[in-house]
Amino acid sequence: MKRNRHDKIIEIIASNVVETQEQLAALLKEAGYDVTQATVSRDIRQMKLTKQATEDGKYKYVYTTADSDVMQDKYVSVLKAGFVSMDVAQNLLVIKTVSGMAMALATAIDALDFPQIIGCIAGDDTIMIAIKTSEEAVETMEELRSLMGRN
């Protein structure tokens, strides 16, 4: 069932401009898949969907099977496009994003596979990242700044 749903997601985002998880969930329901927003969120992470700018400046979900170097560049470009600010609070890294971009940035951060990151929680414009230690939180913030060229 999950494989069929993932195939349907690829089909949907290839033929529609899908900007939000809610929109994707609605299109899946129209196609006969009984899904929750949590299921769609999980599918987006598992499939490593990213957001790409459209010609009119909006962002839509895309699926790619490119090699890891190309993907790292894509993830970094997503970070650069949506990043506003970040700060550390003990072992938590809090990132502020452009409105509506937190999930895309959290997905990109997850895909970059920092070993010290335990997990990310994304809202609309804020990401909370749990990191193993306070020291590693500061190091992670510095690494992200460096990746984005914001030393």
Side-chain angles (χ1 to χ4, degrees), residues 29-131:
K29 285 178 183 175
E30 284 177 21
Y33 292 86
D34 186 26
V35 295
T36 64
Q37 190 272 331
T39 300
V40 171
S41 178
R42 222 175 2 262
D43 287 342
I44 287 169
R45 285 179 186 245
Q46 289 172 352
M47 296 173 68
K48 297 184 176 164
L49 299 182
T50 59
K51 282 197 170 180
Q52 182 178 61
T54 62
E55 291 177 5
D56 60 359
K58 296 180 180 180
Y59 286 86
K60 67 176 185 171
Y61 283 106
V62 294
Y63 177 75
T64 182
T65 57
D67 68 46
S68 61
D69 287 341
V70 170
M71 288 308 295
Q72 175 147 349
D73 291 344
K74 271 187 150 323
Y75 297 136
V76 170
S77 71
V78 169
L79 289 173
K80 288 178 180 178
F83 177 82
V84 173
S85 66
M86 71 178 138
D87 206 354
V88 173
Q90 294 185 6
N91 70 317
L92 299 176
L93 180 58
V94 178
I95 298 178
K96 291 293 196 175
T97 72
V98 172
S99 183
M101 288 291 294
M103 185 61 182
L105 268 72
T107 301
I109 290 166
D110 282 342
L112 289 169
D113 208 21
F114 288 92
Q116 65 272 28
I117 292 179
I118 297 168
C120 297
I121 299 172
D124 179 62
D125 65 357
T126 306
I127 306 166
M128 188 176 308
I129 304 170
I131 300 173

